Amino acid sequence: MLISAHRVMDIHRCRFVPYTAPAINALAFSHPSTPNASGYGPKTLRLALGRANGDIEIWNPLRGQWFQEFIIRGGKDRSIEGLVWTQDSQREEEDENGKKTVKPGMLRLFSIGYSTSITEWDLSLGRPVSHSSGVHGEIWCVAAQPRLPAGAAEKESGKDGQAQAQHLVAGCADGTLVIHSTAEGELKYLRTLTRSSSKKSRVLCITFVGRERVAAGYADSTIRVFSIKNGSQLSAMSLSIGPKNGPSEVLVWTVKSLPDGTIVSGDSTGEVKFWDGKTYTLMQRILSHRADILDLAVSADGESMISGGMDRRSTVYRAIGTAKKGMPRRWAEMAHRRFHTHDVKTMAVFETKDMSVVASGGLDTNLIIIPLREFGREYYRTLPNLSQLPPLQSAPSKRLLMTWWDREINVWRVNGQNEGFEEQDGFGDPTEKARTLVAKIMIQGEECLTTVALSPGGDMIAASALSQIKVFQLQTKQSSPMNVLKVRKINVSEEIASLSARIIQFSPDSKWLLHVGADNKIRLLRIISNDGQVEFSAKAVVLDRISRHPLNSEPQHGSHEGYERSISRAAFSADSRILVTADLTGFVDTWVLEGYEDLTQAPNGLVNGHKALPLEYSGVDSDAGSDFDSDSDSDSQTSIILGQHWIQNPHAKLLPKLPSTPLVLSFRPVISSSKDVVNTGTPILPHPTRRNAHPISHDLPKGEDRLIVVTAQNSVYEYSVLSGGLSDWSRRNPPERFPAEYRQLRDRIMGVVWDIGKRKERLWVYGSSFLFMFDLYMDFPVPVEDQGGSASDGAAVVSANTTIELSKKSKKRKREASERVKVTRDISKPDTGAGSKVRENDNDTGIGSTIRKIEGPDLDDAQAIEMSSKAHKSVSDTEEEDDEEDGHGSSRSLVRLRREGETSESGAEVSNKKSKKERKPFWFTLKYRPIFGIVPIQPLESSPVSLLESEANNDEKSAKLSNGDVDSEDINTEGLSKNQIHKLKKRVKKAQMEAEERRAGLPVGPSSKGLKKKKQFPLEVVLVERPLWDMDLPKRWVGDQEWSK
């Protein structure tokens, strides 16, 4: 249980989910390094990550704010062992007006893995496009030919496509080297570069030396260099024999080429060897690892290099001195660290003027970003090994928890606190009683699951693989003592069952199933329940998105061909009448459900024997709701199911584009009660006429439409969807007003959980290493400029409930030297794409950046002087910088004006008087990590009264409860836990006692001390953790004087 002042939340901290993250086998950046270009790389820059289960993850660096963008799921017994990118040449296209435009070349991704073929992947569809194979052994390694420079590409434009395209060279287990062509947008076998030798030694690694030569490392202590023009062998460089008491042959695990043609290799002896690229002779060797070196990464300028191996070390090398005539440059090992806890298997580097990082991965499943240029002066970053979109869902009304991965779905029932321990006999594990595995589903076939959804009522599961969709119904077995669920397959139309989905989601009322296909088509299936039997509409309602202009990407940087418009998130409103989707670019599309449900209409597309309007349509117009006539004929293109039809939100085009990819979409929930049902009443349907026996209502939804959106930059916005803009709360609380502790987070948001109640609007957001609470009932404090610092520099803040008084004096006091140094370091050049700057106390490499200057015998007069040139500024220069606005001053004034005399959406007046007990609008903790996911396990405001009302589903029985007329035998306890049943019976007994006192004329109700506060039950959630030490990892190499933890 988590209790802190005014915040209460019950947490089931669980680690029983048997999920194990697969190892990282391959890494590849989509673009080569461009050391002369400024910025953090092109907008189309991506990092592809291949795992041992066949998954391919696409990561977006986003100017150093790394996040997992998309996952291409693998299959049974599949693995990704190598990844490469290529870019097609630019092309000219002519439009209808005869205007020629240059289109960027397409960025293409290829992979290998335990087979004889190379696979090309379509990122927009998330599936393979083509395969290319030949008569040779298994492919162990692959390399892509370097891209032509811009000027050289223009010269080669007159030649055939083969000259411009990037070839792929694959090394096989039988020693064969094979060339594949990527010309004209195809992937096909071109020719065999060299046949296998008599020994048939495996090709373990391969790289290009320029565009005309390839160097391959073999398992027979040899590095061979070939010409791709004629396939001739240019040289065979032999390594020394293996170590004593070891194998005689040295395994060359990795080989790379420097810009000057030097060939670098790493082998099973732990040595890095440098070879002359012209004479093919050994120039230098460095013994830097205690075990095998598995990969190398080289900087763009060829001045730095990093290696990783089985001993978990990451070693950095620098070129020292200058090359003398007839003598090559020398290399030296600068430093080494153990960023990983297991074998370092793969590395990839990307550099610009402002960015210099090495992506590293291995058997410990974590992706680690290491600064290369600023190694030792910046922290490294460990990115989460868990999915950005948690494979975790719940059905709070049934206390069900569903997890899924690969081809397996598990459903657990989580008991309440202190439940399951009453019948302990002293034997067994007491934690086993806290949950029960009630259902397990194994999907047949070799394809892994792409998405799974659990209905809010806990009675249906929809699952999608790469080429199929299956829906299951969950029913309680009455004879089972453990309440095990019976799984029954539900038939859907063959048209829908054969489609793959990137998103599947049930609406909150379980009447609609959202299906976002791999082709990004949005389909809605109507669910009809009758006497426990579930059926789906024969056809789907197809919704069209607003046409958007393509991104203005520079032609030389390539394009992903529609991948940026892929739908990544979707959400229903609490009343299931608003649907929202968002794509990777940041565009948001919304639809609303017109009309009210009319059960007199036939759900199968026939209305009393007459043909109804078509079930499937496309090209929805934004004005369809206002222009549609109730007396229109059957030629209308609007789909109507049971008196309702989906249209585009009339204000959809007013919603602004998000600055980055949205990671979370969540509507504010609505807590309904019996009073709300009475006040609302039954909707009035239009009267039938002779021409239209079943008129359709055009009423738009009027319920809660506020949508919380969290972007990849961790910015939180709230949309008022029906009005097409930001809500009042979001206008008063822009992203820069959020707490500094939140804005400094490095990890991305994974999900949110709502806690809504009386005078309580809490939003819990979580990532892999943190848990934050924002009280939306309040506004955040407004940062005030203090000594020239901004909010991010730790400036003082003043509460929104107090009067803000700014000093009229423009002259600021002079800072001491130590303060100037600190401010200079805070506002200095940003990091290079990994972590933040290393603090002086943590810097254990090199010389410090500050020195102490002492004049005279008094040590108290010591001054701290910054060694960098940026710190040598006069006091007047610092004061001028302090007087300058940082761009947020105008926004602060607008926020203050909005907050004066306003009333928030929840009805809380924004007061300017400071309360005696002022509560903070946020709270956070970092004690839980790594978080697999957090989901609610009990309905909001779920008390014994509300539980009884929801289970009875009868207003008359609810009224009897309040009057004490319900006996404990009348309680419907189906699906409830023992703890909930006990609370219900206790509540009934208390109601009966109060009823008897009321009949006897005794005072019942508020006491003389005042009104009794209504008890608010805390939010109850399940928090699943998957620490690395709980996962089953292979044994690692242990050297001398080393012990495994």
Side-chain angles (χ1 to χ4, degrees):
M1 179 181 291
L2 179 64
I3 302 178
S4 177
H6 56 278
R7 292 169 290 273
V8 180
M9 182 169 68
D10 292 341
I11 294 180
H12 296 265
R13 192 174 182 179
C14 307
R15 292 182 180 177
F16 58 81
V17 178
Y19 172 80
T20 299
I24 299 175
N25 291 340
L27 292 168
F29 280 99
S30 59
H31 294 72
S33 298
T34 52
N36 297 326
S38 59
Y40 286 80
K43 294 181 180 179
T44 53
L45 176 66
R46 297 294 185 272
L47 172 67
L49 181 150
R51 293 193 178 269
N53 65 340
D55 288 354
I56 298 179
E57 301 176 6
I58 305 299
W59 287 77
N60 189 340
L62 193 64
R63 300 181 296 278
Q65 299 174 348
W66 297 79
F67 73 97
Q68 187 187 84
E69 197 172 61
F70 182 55
I71 300 179
I72 302 176
R73 297 295 179 181
K76 181 182 178 181
D77 299 331
R78 298 179 188 174
S79 178
I80 302 297
E81 297 297 323
L83 291 169
V84 291
W85 293 81
T86 65
Q87 180 179 340
D88 291 343
S89 57
Q90 304 176 20
R91 61 189 186 277
E92 287 189 357
E93 291 186 359
E94 187 174 345
D95 56 13
E96 299 177 355
N97 300 326
K99 183 179 179 181
K100 294 183 179 180
T101 57
V102 178
K103 296 295 183 180
M106 182 178 175
L107 293 167
R108 303 165 64 185
L109 177 63
F110 303 88
S111 71
I112 59 171
Y114 293 145
S115 66
T116 60
S117 63
I118 299 177
T119 303
E120 180 180 1
W121 298 89
D122 188 339
L123 297 185
S124 60
L125 296 178
R127 61 177 59 184
V129 178
S130 60
H131 304 273
S132 179
S133 61
V135 184
H136 48 71
E138 293 183 354
I139 298 178
W140 275 61
C141 53
V142 64
Q145 191 176 24
R147 301 173 187 176
L148 283 171
E154 296 177 358
K155 296 180 181 179
E156 298 286 345
S157 60
K159 301 182 180 180
D160 58 354
Q162 297 291 347
Q164 302 181 54
Q166 293 179 256
H167 294 325
L168 302 180
V169 177
C172 306
D174 58 0
T176 304
L177 294 181
V178 182
I179 300 179
H180 294 259
S181 173
T182 62
E184 299 179 357
E186 298 180 355
L187 174 63
K188 56 185 178 181
Y189 167 82
L190 190 60
R191 68 178 185 272
T192 299
L193 185 62
T194 179
R195 292 291 179 182
S196 57
S197 62
S198 58
K199 292 184 178 181
K200 294 186 178 181
S201 181
R202 296 189 306 273
V203 183
L204 301 179
C205 57
I206 192 168
T207 189
F208 272 86
V209 183
R211 282 180 55 89
E212 306 299 334
R213 294 179 296 167
V214 293
Y218 287 75
D220 60 352
S221 306
T222 307
I223 301 175
R224 296 178 175 89
V225 182
F226 300 92
S227 171
I228 65 171
K229 288 186 175 181
N230 51 25
S232 61
Q233 179 175 316
L234 302 179
S235 177
M237 299 173 286
S238 178
L239 282 70
S240 59
I241 61 175
K244 294 182 179 180
N245 302 325
S248 59
E249 293 183 345
V250 177
L251 305 179
V252 184
W253 289 114
T254 178
V255 59
K256 291 291 187 293
S257 173
L258 299 181
D260 60 359
T262 301
I263 299 174
V264 187
S265 65
D267 52 50
S268 57
T269 63
E271 287 186 345
V272 175
K273 297 180 174 65
F274 298 85
W275 307 83
D276 191 301
K278 297 179 180 179
T279 61
Y280 305 112
T281 56
L282 180 64
M283 298 188 300
Q284 184 183 357
R285 65 174 65 189
I286 300 176
L287 180 60
S288 55
H289 290 260
R290 296 183 177 182
D292 300 33
I293 296 176
L294 300 181
D295 203 5
L296 293 166
V298 180
S299 64
D301 56 4
E303 298 292 324
S304 303
M305 189 175 61
I306 186 170
S307 64
M310 290 178 59
D311 58 354
R312 310 188 301 281
R313 282 187 178 184
S314 296
T315 306
V316 176
Y317 313 85
R318 307 281 191 196
I320 57 177
T322 57
K324 298 180 182 179
K325 187 176 181 180
M327 294 294 294
R329 296 187 63 180
R330 304 293 295 175
W331 287 78
E333 176 186 344
M334 303 304 296
H336 68 264
R337 290 194 61 179
R338 285 180 176 169
F339 302 107
H340 292 268
T341 60
H342 216 295
D343 298 5
V344 184
K345 195 172 183 181
T346 177
M347 289 181 165
V349 64
F350 181 80
E351 286 188 300
T352 63
K353 283 184 177 180
D354 302 317
M355 184 176 182
S356 177
V357 295
V358 175
S360 176
L363 298 185
D364 62 357
T365 74
N366 285 321
L367 174 61
I368 294 181
I369 307 300
I370 306 171
L372 181 57
R373 188 184 306 140
E374 297 295 323
F375 186 86
R377 294 185 290 269
E378 289 183 358
Y379 293 105
Y380 71 96
R381 285 189 59 187
T382 301
L383 300 181
N385 60 352
L386 305 175
S387 175
Q388 177 67 47
L389 187 62
L392 187 74
Q393 293 187 22
S394 68
S397 61
K398 297 290 182 63
R399 301 185 66 87
L400 296 180
L401 174 70
M402 182 192 71
T403 61
W404 59 272
W405 58 88
D406 293 341
R407 297 175 295 118
E408 178 180 338
I409 303 174
N410 293 316
V411 181
W412 310 78
R413 177 173 280 113
V414 181
N415 300 323
Q417 288 188 348
N418 301 325
E419 184 182 354
F421 302 98
E422 300 174 358
E423 301 179 1
Q424 290 287 336
D425 54 0
F427 298 95
D429 186 4
T431 59
E432 300 261 343
K433 303 267 185 176
R435 83 273 180 181
T436 304
L437 182 63
V438 295
K440 186 173 183 177
I441 303 174
M442 294 294 296
I443 304 299
Q444 296 180 354
E446 297 184 354
E447 299 172 350
C448 290
L449 296 168
T450 57
T451 178
V452 180
L454 175 66
S455 65
D459 55 351
M460 287 181 291
I461 290 179
S464 173
L466 194 61
S467 61
Q468 61 179 340
I469 292 177
K470 294 184 178 181
V471 183
F472 305 93
Q473 185 177 9
L474 304 180
Q475 297 175 334
T476 303
K477 289 184 179 181
Q478 300 296 338
S479 60
S480 176
M482 302 298 293
N483 291 327
V484 176
L485 299 178
K486 178 182 178 182
V487 181
R488 184 181 70 88
K489 185 178 178 181
I490 302 176
N491 294 325
V492 295
S493 63
E494 295 182 0
E495 179 184 358
I496 299 299
S498 60
L499 297 174
S500 63
R502 63 174 68 238
I503 297 176
I504 283 184
Q505 187 173 339
F506 288 95
S507 62
D509 59 4
S510 298
K511 294 182 180 179
W512 296 93
L513 177 63
L514 170 66
H515 172 279
V516 180
D519 55 357
N520 289 294
K521 271 193 176 183
I522 304 170
R523 301 173 178 88
L524 285 167
L525 292 173
R526 185 61 162 87
I527 305 174
I528 301 100
S529 301
N530 187 12
D531 296 334
Q533 299 296 324
V534 179
E535 297 180 355
F536 287 84
S537 56
K539 292 187 178 181
V541 179
V542 181
L543 306 180
D544 281 357
R545 294 187 288 172
I546 299 176
S547 179
R548 315 281 189 177
H549 295 289
L551 293 176
N552 296 324
S553 59
E554 299 181 9
Q556 67 271 21
H557 293 156
S559 170
H560 290 289
E561 293 289 338
Y563 165 72
E564 293 87 354
R565 290 302 318 276
S566 299
I567 297 175
S568 59
R569 299 293 186 271
F572 280 98
S573 62
D575 59 359
S576 304
R577 299 192 62 185
I578 304 176
L579 173 63
V580 176
T581 64
D583 57 27
L584 298 177
T585 307
F587 291 113
V588 178
D589 293 276
T590 59
W591 298 267
V592 295
L593 183 61
E594 273 193 341
Y596 299 99
E597 186 179 37
D598 185 3
L599 298 178
T600 61
Q601 298 187 13
N604 58 354
L606 297 178
V607 181
N608 294 340
H610 299 282
K611 185 174 179 61
L613 299 182
L615 281 174
E616 187 171 359
Y617 74 103
S618 61
V620 181
D621 192 277
S622 60
D623 299 326
S626 58
D627 296 339
F628 185 79
D629 188 4
S630 60
D631 294 332
S632 60
D633 55 16
S634 60
D635 293 334
S636 172
Q637 291 300 313
T638 303
S639 176
I640 300 175
I641 299 180
L642 297 179
Q644 295 177 308
H645 51 283
W646 288 90
I647 66 168
Q648 203 171 81
N649 178 18
H651 298 92
K653 295 183 179 180
L654 299 180
L655 292 175
K657 177 184 174 297
L658 295 168
S660 58
T661 302
L663 300 182
V664 177
L665 299 178
S666 180
F667 279 93
R668 289 203 187 198
V670 175
I671 302 176
S672 60
S673 63
S674 57
K675 294 182 180 180
D676 298 331
V677 177
V678 174
N679 295 334
T680 304
T682 304
I684 301 176
L685 300 176
H687 294 288
T689 62
R690 290 183 300 175
R691 297 182 57 188
N692 190 352
H694 295 276
I696 306 300
S697 173
H698 305 296
D699 291 344
L700 295 176
K702 301 178 181 178
E704 181 62 77
D705 69 330
R706 286 176 292 178
L707 173 72
I708 286 291
V709 181
V710 184
T711 67
Q713 296 173 330
N714 280 355
S715 300
V716 180
Y717 302 93
E718 186 178 55
Y719 283 160
S720 182
V721 175
L722 296 180
S723 60
L726 295 175
S727 67
D728 293 339
W729 180 89
S730 190
R731 292 177 184 274
R732 295 194 310 270
N733 298 273
E736 59 266 19
R737 297 287 82 79
F738 276 65
E741 295 88 346
Y742 174 77
R743 289 183 281 109
Q744 293 172 0
L745 290 174
R746 288 282 183 173
D747 293 337
R748 303 299 97 187
I749 301 296
M750 297 172 61
V752 301
V753 177
W754 288 94
D755 186 12
I756 302 294
K758 186 178 180 181
R759 299 182 61 85
K760 180 177 63 174
E761 298 179 3
R762 297 171 185 163
L763 176 68
W764 295 83
V765 301
Y766 67 91
S768 62
S769 59
F770 61 88
L771 176 62
F772 260 82
M773 189 281 295
F774 300 129
D775 194 344
L776 306 188
Y777 196 77
M778 306 171 60
D779 288 332
F780 293 116
V782 181
V784 178
E785 298 265 348
D786 182 23
Q787 303 175 4
S790 62
S792 60
D793 296 331
V797 297
V798 179
S799 171
N801 297 330
T802 59
T803 304
I804 301 174
E805 296 181 358
L806 299 178
S807 176
K808 296 181 180 179
K809 297 181 179 181
S810 59
K811 185 177 180 180
K812 297 179 176 63
R813 68 176 182 87
K814 296 182 179 180
R815 292 187 181 88
E816 299 296 334
S818 59
E819 293 180 299
R820 291 200 303 271
V821 170
K822 183 177 180 180
V823 173
T824 304
R825 289 182 61 84
D826 287 343
I827 63 176
S828 62
K829 184 179 178 181
D831 58 70
T832 59
S836 57
K837 298 291 183 181
V838 174
R839 295 186 295 268
E840 293 183 7
N841 296 335
D842 297 340
N843 192 354
D844 55 357
T845 59
I847 303 176
S849 58
T850 59
I851 61 175
R852 293 183 66 194
K853 181 180 179 181
I854 303 175
E855 294 182 357
D858 193 356
L859 298 179
D860 296 335
D861 295 336
Q863 296 180 351
I865 300 177
E866 178 72 17
M867 295 294 293
S868 62
S869 59
K870 292 184 178 181
H872 297 288
K873 296 182 180 180
S874 62
V875 176
S876 59
D877 295 337
T878 308
E879 292 178 352
E880 290 178 1
E881 290 180 357
D882 294 339
D883 292 336
E884 294 179 357
E885 293 291 335
D886 60 354
H888 297 306
S890 58
S891 62
R892 292 194 183 95
S893 301
L894 291 175
V895 170
R896 297 189 193 104
L897 290 175
R898 294 192 188 106
R899 294 183 177 185
E900 292 180 358
E902 284 192 2
T903 303
S904 64
E905 294 96 338
S906 58
E909 184 177 353
V910 182
S911 172
N912 290 331
K913 295 182 179 180
K914 186 175 182 179
S915 59
K916 295 182 180 180
K917 289 185 178 181
E918 183 180 353
R919 64 183 187 184
K920 293 183 179 180
F922 73 95
W923 182 89
F924 71 97
T925 179
L926 305 177
K927 67 179 294 186
Y928 306 105
R929 61 176 63 192
I931 298 177
F932 183 77
I934 302 177
V935 291
I937 204 62
Q938 192 169 354
L940 294 176
E941 288 293 316
S942 58
S943 63
V945 178
S946 61
L947 285 173
L948 180 61
E949 291 175 355
S950 62
E951 291 299 327
N953 197 20
N954 191 316
D955 293 338
E956 181 179 357
K957 186 169 289 188
S958 301
K960 289 182 179 180
L961 173 65
S962 301
N963 298 330
D965 297 335
V966 174
D967 189 66
S968 60
E969 302 298 331
D970 297 334
I971 301 176
N972 183 5
T973 59
E974 181 181 357
L976 300 182
S977 62
K978 295 180 181 180
N979 194 22
Q980 292 173 341
I981 295 174
H982 176 71
K983 290 182 179 180
L984 288 176
K985 292 182 178 181
K986 187 176 180 181
R987 175 67 181 91
V988 171
K989 185 176 181 180
K990 181 178 179 181
Q992 291 174 347
M993 294 177 60
E994 291 180 353
E996 292 178 0
E997 293 177 356
R998 195 179 294 108
R999 296 189 191 99
L1002 298 177
V1004 178
S1007 61
S1008 58
K1009 294 182 181 180
L1011 296 175
K1012 183 179 180 180
K1013 293 184 178 179
K1014 180 182 177 181
K1015 183 179 179 180
Q1016 293 194 19
F1017 288 78
L1019 173 67
E1020 188 175 358
V1021 301
V1022 171
L1023 187 151
V1024 181
E1025 294 176 303
R1026 288 304 295 158
L1028 192 61
W1029 56 83
D1030 277 358
M1031 298 183 182
D1032 295 331
L1033 299 178
K1035 294 182 179 180
R1036 71 183 187 187
W1037 180 87
V1038 179
D1040 298 335
Q1041 303 298 319
E1042 292 185 10
W1043 295 271
S1044 299
K1045 295 182 179 179

